[in-house]
Structure formats: C-alpha cells, structure tokens
Amino acid sequence: MKLSEYARRLDDELDTAAYADVDASANGVQVGPDDAEVERVAFAVDAAEATIEAAADAGADVLVVHHGISWGGIDRVTGTAYDRIAALVENDLALYVSHLPLDGHQDLGNAAGVAGAIGVGDREPFGEIGPVTIGTVGELDAPRSAASIREALDDFEGQPDGEASPTRVLDFGPEEIDRVAVVTGSGVDWLDEAVEAGADALITGEGKGKAYHEAREAGVTVFLAGHYATETFGVRSLRSLSAEWGLGTEYVSHPTGL
C-alpha cells in the first residue's frame, strides 16, 4: 500500500479535515514521500527519538502517533526538531500524526477507549472545541464509587518502570457515580460542560490549579489519570484497524509518567 493511500484511509476514518481549523497539530503525514510503500506500521503516543528508533528497529515503514513534531509549523530545523526529522529520514521512516481527531472519534478515539475501559456506555460526543468535539459522555453500566473508578484507571499504562499509574482524584461528586464525561490529555477546561451535561465525574489526564475549587463548588469528581496514560487508546485502535487492512503492526510503549 502506498503511503498516500494509507494516509487517505486514516484521514477518512478519523474525519481529519473537520479538525483542520481548530487543531494546532499538522495532522496527517508530517514526514515522508507520498509514493513510499507501506507494509509495516508502528504506533506510539509520542514522536520522539526513542519511539522513532524503536519503530525503525521493528522494521516499520511509517510511525503513527498522537503527538507529532509540527505544532503550528516548523520555523527552524534545529535542536530536537532536527534530531527527530534526521532519525526519520535516515531510517526511511514516514510519520503520520492524528491529534484532536484521535481524541474525539467516538469509536477509535482516546476518550472512547477510556470510557470503554471503565464501562461507560450509551455514549455521545462531548467536549466542544469550535464545530467539533474531543471527548465523550455516557452512563456507567452500573453505579460505581470514586475508589472503584480510580482503581480501574490506575491500571492504565503510564509509568516508565511499568508500575501502575497513580490517579489523582478530586472527590467532590456523589458517592455513587452514574454519568461520566471524558476528555483525555489536558481536559479540565471542559468541567463546566461536564456539569451542563449532567455528569457526576470528569475523567482527564492532567489538571490545572483552578480545577480544585471549580470541582468542589460544582459538586463533581475529577479524575486525573495521566496525560500519557489516557492517550494510548487511540493509537492502539489504529493499530487494530491497520492490521485489518493487511498491514504488519507494532506498538511502541514509552510511558512518560506524566
């Protein structure tokens, strides 16, 4: 399969074009010739020297990531930008990126993966940013305590040493949580929207100082499960999809603990 065809298929599945005006990331192919042949694909959360080298060692033709190397353009190819691009070129490795489209997809996305992992069903789009959404909201299959949800989130991949990723909890919601909103990564800015959606809890990756008082005053529980830990789901889904297309695949695990 040509790189251009592979990228087109991913763009179509993820509705990449819908996010063009709201995403700082240059989604799609960031590095690589369109006519390159793709037989094996590696998947990672971040495009970094470590994941690029691991993908090359796995014999991949393209590395698919959530966090790429171009955010609003590249002014100078120096420093880490040079090192990463050089590693890609020297290894004949293309780079495909999906940021917000991979957050918001209701089946393949990060938020959908987190929601599914803890039993949130009857879901609908959540987390508005312009004309698109980057999260999901729905009902738990059965009411759960904050401690029970935290235990499930702690099992997510997130720590460099392979240990459980500890989840911080702002436990200001009801004792039994029924309705949950999810925006992965850095999503506490959608706390007000979670309240409007009738959510008892918001799950995201990392917090901001204002979140404590906002959650306390709104009576909503907030789970901070780690930026990396909440964003492995999307690339794993794309790995499964690519395997269905007949491509060889490899997942590159490189947790940050953050």
Side-chain angles (χ1 to χ4, degrees), residues 46-72:
D46 305 305
E49 284 187 76
T51 56
I52 292 168
E53 294 294 346
D57 289 344
D61 302 301
V62 57
L63 174 62
V64 174
V65 300
H66 182 50
H67 300 130
I69 60 176
S70 177
W71 301 89

Side-chain angles (χ1 to χ4, degrees), residues 1-3 36-41 59-62 242 246-249:
M1 186 184 302
K2 296 291 187 183
L3 177 61
E37 288 290 341
V38 176
E39 295 181 355
R40 188 166 185 80
V41 186
D61 302 301
V62 57
S242 297
L247 297 170
T249 66

Side-chain angles (χ1 to χ4, degrees), residues 221-243:
T221 294
V222 175
F223 297 90
L224 307 175
H227 198 126
Y228 181 97
T230 58
E231 296 196 327
T232 66
F233 295 89
V235 289
R236 289 179 183 273
S237 293
L238 295 186
R239 179 189 184 186
S240 297
L241 181 63
S242 297

Side-chain angles (χ1 to χ4, degrees), residues 14 16 21 25 33 44 48 60 66 75 86-87 100 107 113 132 135 149 164-165 171 202 214 218 222-224:
L14 297 168
T16 300
D21 294 334
S25 173
H66 182 50
D75 294 327
L100 295 185
D107 295 315
V132 294
I149 294 174
S165 183
D171 191 0
L202 170 68
E214 289 181 351
V222 175
F223 297 90
L224 307 175

Side-chain angles (χ1 to χ4, degrees), residues 5 17 21 27 38 77-78 89 103 105-106 108 112 115 117 140 148 158-159 162 176 180 219 225 243 257:
E5 170 64 13
D21 294 334
N27 295 311
V38 176
V77 183
T78 59
V89 174
D103 283 324
H105 196 283
Q106 293 300 296
L108 302 172
L140 284 165
S148 172
Q159 295 298 309
E176 293 292 306
V180 178

Side-chain angles (χ1 to χ4, degrees), residues 19 100 103-106 111-112 115 120 122-138 179-184 186-204 220:
Y19 291 79
L100 295 185
D103 283 324
H105 196 283
Q106 293 300 296
V120 178
D122 193 21
R123 301 194 299 262
E124 57 190 40
F126 170 82
E128 292 183 358
I129 177 168
V132 294
T133 57
I134 57 171
T136 193
V137 62
R179 187 165 173 81
V180 178
V182 184
V183 176
T184 61
S186 181
V188 292
D189 288 339
W190 283 269
L191 181 59
D192 285 344
E193 187 178 335
V195 175
E196 292 173 5
D200 302 313
L202 170 68
I203 297 174
T204 187
V220 172

